[in-house]
């Protein structure tokens, strides 16, 4: 069974254990009336399921599951291992984490298990074994949800020992580790495996207020190890479930661009990717789109939108309400970029504790059924619309000829580097170039270094700080075979172990780019430099300026600023390599410069420009074996009119063809279906 075989899941987290049992049925009636058809249960219930080490009590969960079945709710069943019970931490302190300041945690919080604790692994296995045996054939079960929002780091003695074992599995011997980390620096040479400790503020961070390690190669490996260690725990729980249930999809909810885990590696072990979308009141629509595309891209497959809020989120600096229509728009934006479920955190708003001001389908006002809030009515409307969408839509995929590369090791490495700029923000750098494509009104996919690029005509790799020989050869082959490639400042700087490529930046990419750089100049905030396009207007650069020496590359733009000692040096180049072209951007261009660059890329790749540019309306596509679906999304709070991108399509929401000019209300949506 797959999630495509059942109606689109519309629901989310329900925590009835936080409420008196006599309120549950009223909740389910209200949810059913809002067209909710799915509940995520048991996310944080370990302390109720197992009050002590030898006692298991599933009576409350049995009642909840039975009631959900009576109201024909499908179930996403969590394993509840995302938060530790108090008795466990008291009896086995090693299950809790030690932070980067060396402080070992007591009981409290959540997402707090040490990934290397043998006691955690034993106790989690025992719990999940019982859960899987009891509920694997429960009516309505459609997905298993392991733990919750994996992330964070641990620096305890168990992790230190496990890190040494990880290193022994990844390196031939200790000499290879010393060579990879250049550990002769500052007398860091290791002569015994036991001398290696996790890089933390008590050991190898440069000062207590910084996240900058002395040996960045060691810190990179520790990041890889921690991601692998948490993934091993996910795989452990998955194996327990698979022993009794060979078919139900298994997931865990990811968090888009969070730094801790390499999601491209995690996606290989997940049956379906799911993630939690929480844009702030001022998050650009392009950034939300990029994060959806990244969650699609880590597996190149439709994903579950596991969480969003129907109204406001309590943990942001300002708990802004979603405006009328905005929740609906964000839900359809997720669907447009590959979501096959629309789910919320949460179904019923908590009465106390830290999440009491986080929004819900049943708010404090809605509780008990005496009133129906605006948000509840909007959820109800959305649920009715989603139920009427064709099943074929969920079988469709996102198809794009332009890919933007996201690389977690480069993310870790460039932000661990001491220099070149305190403004370095890897996610925002990637977003800058994603938005360049988004603003041109073109479909885009997110890929990793290990992804299949064969369907791409254009590959954009911003700030690809780490460029090992394997990926450099892959890029060269992509361009040689006709691909169009673009990379930027701070790319190709180091190998997989953070050792700088010698002989000129960007190291292993110099051949395909046809240039070398002797240095980069970091500009202070709010400082710009003039950049003259060879066949266009003067634009501006900022952030970093590479001093480029062409070696076969054609100069497309130069610095034009008399205050610069490198005035006249190239700022943008293109190099013909085999059948393709490789572009290099030496400074962060302004909007006009990026728009010009996008045109250059499309011309080099032989792709047409979009019919219309971004003007407050996002146009995105999904394609099935039989139909194309065009999503027209007004991502603003003002009315917009745009040219109809598919005159032959029928709007699934209104049931009629749309005119040549489509007028969308604030946060308005249209979905055109067109037979291929």
């Amino acid at each position: 069974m797959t999630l495509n075989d059942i109606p689109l899941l519309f629901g989310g987290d329900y925590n009835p254990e936080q409420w008196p049992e006599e309120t549950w049925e009223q909740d389910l009636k209200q949810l059913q009336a809002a067209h909710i058809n799915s509940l995520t249960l048991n996310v944080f219930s370990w302390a109720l399921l197992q009050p002590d080490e030898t006692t298991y009590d599933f009576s409350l969960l049995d009642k909840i599951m039975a009631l959900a079945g009576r109201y024909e709710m499908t179930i996403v069943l969590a394993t509840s291992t995302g938060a530790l019970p108090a008795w466990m931490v008291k009896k086995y302190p090693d299950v809790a984490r030690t932070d980067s300041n060396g402080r070992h945690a007591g009981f409290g919080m959540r997402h707090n298990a040490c990934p290397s604790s043998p006691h955690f692994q034993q106790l989690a296995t025992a719990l999940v074994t019982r859960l899987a045996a009891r509920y694997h054939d429960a009516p309505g079960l459609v997905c298993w949800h392991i733990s919750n929002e994996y992330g964070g780091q641990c620096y305890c003695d168990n992790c230190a020992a496990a890190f040494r074992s990880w290193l022994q599995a990844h390196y031939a011997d200790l000499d290879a580790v010393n060579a990879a980390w250049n550990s002769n620096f500052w007398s860091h040479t290791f002569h015994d495996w036991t001398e290696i400790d996790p890089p933390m503020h008590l050991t190898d961070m440069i000062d207590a207020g910084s996240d900058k390690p002395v040996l960045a190669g060691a810190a990179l490996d520790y990041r890889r190890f921690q991601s692998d260690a948490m993934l091993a725990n996910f795989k452990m729980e998955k194996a327990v479930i698979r022993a009794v249930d060979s078919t139900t999809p298994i997931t865990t909810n990811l968090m888009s661009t969070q730094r801790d885990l390499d999601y491209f590696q995690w996606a290989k072990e997940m049956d379906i990717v799911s993630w939690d979308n929480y844009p702030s009141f001022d998050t650009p629509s392009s950034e939300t789109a990029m994060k959806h595309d990244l969650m699609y891209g880590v597996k190149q497959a439709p994903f579950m939108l596991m969480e969003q809020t129907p109204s406001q989120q309590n943990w942001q600096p300002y708990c802004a309400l979603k405006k009328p229509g905005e929740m609906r728009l964000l839900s359809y934006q997720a669907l447009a970029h590959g979501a096959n479920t629309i789910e919320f955190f949460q179904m019923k708003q908590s009465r106390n504790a830290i999440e009491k001001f986080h929004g819900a389908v049943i708010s404090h006002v809605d509780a008990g059924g005496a009133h129906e809030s605006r948000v509840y009515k909007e959820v109800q409307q959305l649920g009715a619309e989603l139920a009427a969408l064709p099943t074929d839509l969920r079988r469709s995929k996102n198809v794009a000829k332009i890919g933007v590369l996201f690389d977690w090791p480069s993310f870790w490495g460039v932000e661990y580097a001491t220099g070149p700029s305190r403004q370095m923000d890897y996610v925002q750098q990637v977003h800058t170039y994603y938005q360049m494509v988004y603003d041109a009104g073109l479909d885009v996919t997110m890929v990793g270094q290990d992804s299949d690029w064969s369907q791409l005509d254009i590959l954009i790799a911003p700030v690809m700080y780490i460029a090992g020989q394997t990926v450099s050869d892959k890029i060269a082959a992509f361009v040689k075979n006709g691909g169009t490639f673009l990379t930027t400042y701070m790319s190709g700087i180091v190998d997989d172990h953070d050792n700088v490529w010698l002989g000129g930046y960007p190291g292993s990419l110099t051949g395909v780019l046809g240039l070398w750089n002797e240095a980069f100049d970091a500009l202070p905030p709010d400082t710009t430099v003039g950049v003259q396009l060879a066949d266009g207007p003067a634009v501006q650069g900022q952030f970093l300026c590479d001093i480029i020496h062409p070696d076969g590359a054609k100069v497309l733009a130069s610095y034009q600023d008399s205050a610069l000692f490198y005035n006249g040096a190239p700022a943008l180049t293109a190099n013909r390599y085999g059948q393709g072209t490789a572009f290099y951007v030496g400074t962060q261009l302004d909007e006009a410069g990026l728009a010009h660059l996008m045109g250059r890329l499309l011309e080099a790749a032989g792709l047409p420009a979009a019919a219309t540019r971004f003007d407050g309306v996002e146009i995105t596509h999904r394609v099935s074996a039989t139909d194309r679906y065009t999503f027209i999304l007004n991502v603003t709070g003002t009315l917009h009119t745009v040219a109809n991108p598919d005159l032959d399509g029928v709007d699934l929401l209104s049931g009629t063809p749309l005119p040549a000019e489509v007028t969308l209300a604030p946060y308005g949506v249209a979905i055109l279906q067109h037979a291929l």
Side-chain angles (χ1 to χ4, degrees):
M1 180 191 68
T2 70
L3 295 181
N4 290 339
D5 298 323
I6 59 176
L8 185 147
L9 300 190
F10 184 58
D13 287 54
Y14 182 48
N15 301 294
E17 65 273 11
Q18 298 177 10
W19 295 88
E21 187 175 342
E22 58 267 22
T23 66
W24 295 356
E25 189 144 11
Q26 176 61 36
D27 293 345
L28 270 290
K29 288 178 180 178
Q30 285 180 265
L31 294 173
Q32 193 175 64
H35 304 284
I36 297 296
N37 64 20
S38 181
L39 302 176
T40 300
L41 301 175
N42 199 48
V43 177
F44 294 118
S45 302
W46 198 341
L48 292 175
L49 299 176
Q50 191 178 6
D52 60 56
E53 186 169 1
T54 60
T55 305
Y56 293 89
D57 183 358
F58 297 101
S59 58
L60 195 66
L61 184 55
D62 286 346
K63 291 179 181 180
I64 295 167
M65 295 281 285
L67 183 63
R70 290 214 313 270
Y71 280 85
E72 299 181 326
M73 296 286 179
T74 57
I75 302 299
V76 177
L77 186 60
T79 60
S80 78
T81 52
L84 305 174
W87 64 262
M88 187 187 301
V89 180
K90 299 297 183 183
K91 187 171 183 179
Y92 301 112
D94 68 284
V95 301
R97 293 181 182 177
T98 297
D99 71 11
S100 62
N101 290 308
R103 300 173 300 183
H104 190 71
F107 169 71
M109 297 295 290
R110 60 174 185 166
H111 309 146
N112 48 1
C114 166
S116 305
S117 164
H119 287 116
F120 169 77
Q121 292 164 357
Q122 293 161 11
L123 291 162
T125 297
L127 174 66
V128 177
T129 298
R130 288 166 173 80
L131 275 169
R134 192 177 191 91
Y135 299 112
H136 72 275
D137 57 356
L141 177 66
V142 295
C143 189
W144 288 96
H145 175 12
I146 292 177
S147 191
N148 188 74
E149 293 181 341
Y150 282 96
Q153 304 280 293
C154 182
Y155 300 85
C156 71
D157 289 343
N158 281 330
C159 282
F163 180 46
R164 296 175 197 124
S165 296
W166 184 94
L167 291 171
Q168 289 169 2
H170 285 76
Y171 291 91
D173 51 34
L174 194 56
D175 288 342
V177 174
N178 282 316
W181 294 354
N182 190 29
S183 57
N184 291 346
F185 185 84
W186 285 6
S187 194
H188 276 53
T189 310
F190 300 106
H191 299 285
D192 190 273
W193 290 103
T194 60
E195 296 172 2
I196 298 176
D197 288 316
M200 55 192 291
H201 291 144
L202 295 180
T203 59
D204 218 36
M205 294 295 181
I206 197 68
D207 63 64
S210 170
D211 216 10
K212 306 293 187 182
V214 173
L215 295 184
L220 271 173
D221 274 345
Y222 198 73
R223 281 279 180 186
R224 292 177 174 119
F225 154 70
Q226 284 277 297
S227 182
D228 286 353
M230 291 184 204
L231 179 56
N233 287 338
F234 171 84
K235 291 163 65 177
M236 173 189 74
E237 293 191 34
K238 180 181 177 182
V240 170
I241 295 169
R242 281 287 172 253
V244 295
D245 182 347
S246 62
T247 59
T248 305
I250 298 174
T251 191
T252 188
N253 48 338
L254 308 182
M255 294 177 286
S256 69
T257 57
Q258 70 95 26
R259 189 167 72 161
D260 294 331
L261 309 177
D262 186 340
Y263 285 157
F264 282 101
Q265 302 308 314
W266 277 65
K268 296 173 184 177
E269 305 297 335
M270 298 169 67
D271 296 327
I272 185 170
V273 167
S274 63
W275 86 285
D276 303 341
N277 180 35
Y278 288 111
S280 183
F281 73 97
D282 58 352
T283 301
S285 60
S286 57
E287 184 175 330
T288 303
M290 180 187 80
K291 291 177 177 180
H292 285 309
D293 284 341
L294 179 59
M295 293 295 91
Y296 186 100
V298 294
K299 202 172 180 68
Q300 286 298 314
F303 57 87
M304 297 175 70
L305 179 64
M306 182 67 81
E307 292 185 23
Q308 64 172 340
T309 176
S311 55
Q312 61 192 160
Q313 44 230 43
N314 69 307
W315 44 265
Q316 294 202 353
Y318 308 100
C319 300
L321 280 170
K322 286 187 167 73
K323 301 173 184 65
E326 190 174 6
M327 178 274 294
R328 177 176 179 264
L329 175 277
L330 287 168
S331 299
Y332 280 118
Q333 186 184 35
L335 199 66
H337 287 272
N340 273 0
T341 71
I342 301 295
E343 300 182 276
F344 300 100
F345 181 85
Q346 55 187 328
M347 294 294 94
K348 188 174 183 180
Q349 193 169 16
S350 300
R351 192 175 185 184
N352 52 28
I354 195 171
E355 291 174 337
K356 63 179 176 290
F357 292 134
H358 191 99
V361 175
I362 300 174
S363 68
H364 295 149
V365 170
D366 299 303
H371 303 283
E372 289 185 353
S373 66
R374 170 185 66 86
V375 171
Y376 176 87
K377 292 176 182 176
E378 288 192 18
V379 171
Q380 190 174 47
Q381 175 199 346
L382 176 61
E385 291 177 353
L386 294 174
L389 293 177
T391 301
D392 180 69
L393 176 57
R394 295 198 307 282
R395 296 194 174 99
S396 65
K397 297 182 178 181
N398 296 74
V399 178
K401 292 294 186 183
I402 304 173
V404 174
L405 189 142
F406 193 100
D407 179 52
W408 265 273
S410 287
F411 187 177
W412 301 330
V414 77
E415 294 195 1
Y416 271 149
T418 305
S421 173
R422 300 179 77 176
Q423 290 181 271
M424 177 58 74
D425 182 326
Y426 178 78
V427 173
Q428 286 308 309
Q429 285 296 314
V430 175
H431 173 245
T432 293
Y433 292 89
Y434 177 95
Q435 187 171 5
M436 176 181 75
V437 185
Y438 181 88
D439 284 355
L442 300 166
D443 290 324
V444 59
T445 188
M446 301 291 288
V447 298
Q449 290 194 3
D450 294 339
S451 300
D452 180 5
W453 305 339
S454 62
Q455 302 305 308
L456 299 178
D457 290 333
I458 298 175
L459 175 63
I460 301 170
V463 188
M464 198 177 75
Y465 175 71
I466 293 177
Q469 193 61 55
T470 298
V471 75
S472 299
D473 291 344
K474 184 177 177 181
I475 289 167
F478 174 79
V479 179
K480 187 176 183 179
N481 291 328
T484 299
F485 175 69
L486 179 145
T487 194
T488 71
Y489 41 86
M490 289 307 291
S491 292
I493 304 297
V494 301
D495 66 12
D496 293 322
H497 304 289
D498 202 66
N499 294 301
V500 172
W501 290 106
L502 302 180
Y505 312 127
S508 57
L509 298 175
T510 55
V512 70
L513 293 167
L515 56 81
W516 62 276
N517 302 331
E518 66 174 274
F520 40 76
D521 186 16
L523 304 181
D526 303 319
T527 301
T528 61
V529 299
V531 175
Q532 179 62 56
L533 298 169
D535 60 349
V539 296
Q540 298 291 314
Q542 60 179 335
F543 182 47
L544 292 177
C545 294
D546 282 352
I547 302 176
I548 298 171
H549 295 267
D551 187 11
K554 179 181 178 181
V555 177
L556 302 182
S558 302
Y559 300 112
Q560 294 296 320
D561 194 318
S562 59
L564 301 175
F565 69 87
Y566 45 89
N567 182 35
L572 172 65
T573 64
N575 185 53
R576 190 70 179 172
Y577 186 84
Q579 300 300 309
T581 305
F583 289 78
Y584 188 81
V585 188
T587 187
Q588 184 174 308
L589 297 170
D590 61 13
E591 185 176 347
L594 290 170
H596 179 86
L597 176 59
M598 190 68 240
R600 280 280 201 168
L601 288 173
L602 293 171
E603 181 182 8
L607 295 177
T612 56
R613 290 181 59 79
F614 173 83
D615 60 354
V617 175
E618 176 186 315
I619 298 175
T620 308
H621 303 89
R622 292 181 65 163
V623 180
S624 74
T626 59
D627 291 87
R628 180 178 67 246
Y629 299 91
T630 302
F631 290 77
I632 313 173
L633 310 168
N634 182 357
V635 296
T636 75
T638 58
L639 184 143
H640 274 280
T641 299
V642 295
N644 187 335
D646 187 353
L647 289 171
D648 295 326
V650 175
D651 180 21
L652 294 176
L653 301 180
S654 67
T656 62
L658 296 180
E661 295 288 321
V662 180
T663 298
L664 296 172
Y667 305 115
V669 176
I671 308 174
L672 300 175
Q673 181 179 16
H674 182 108
L676 296 176

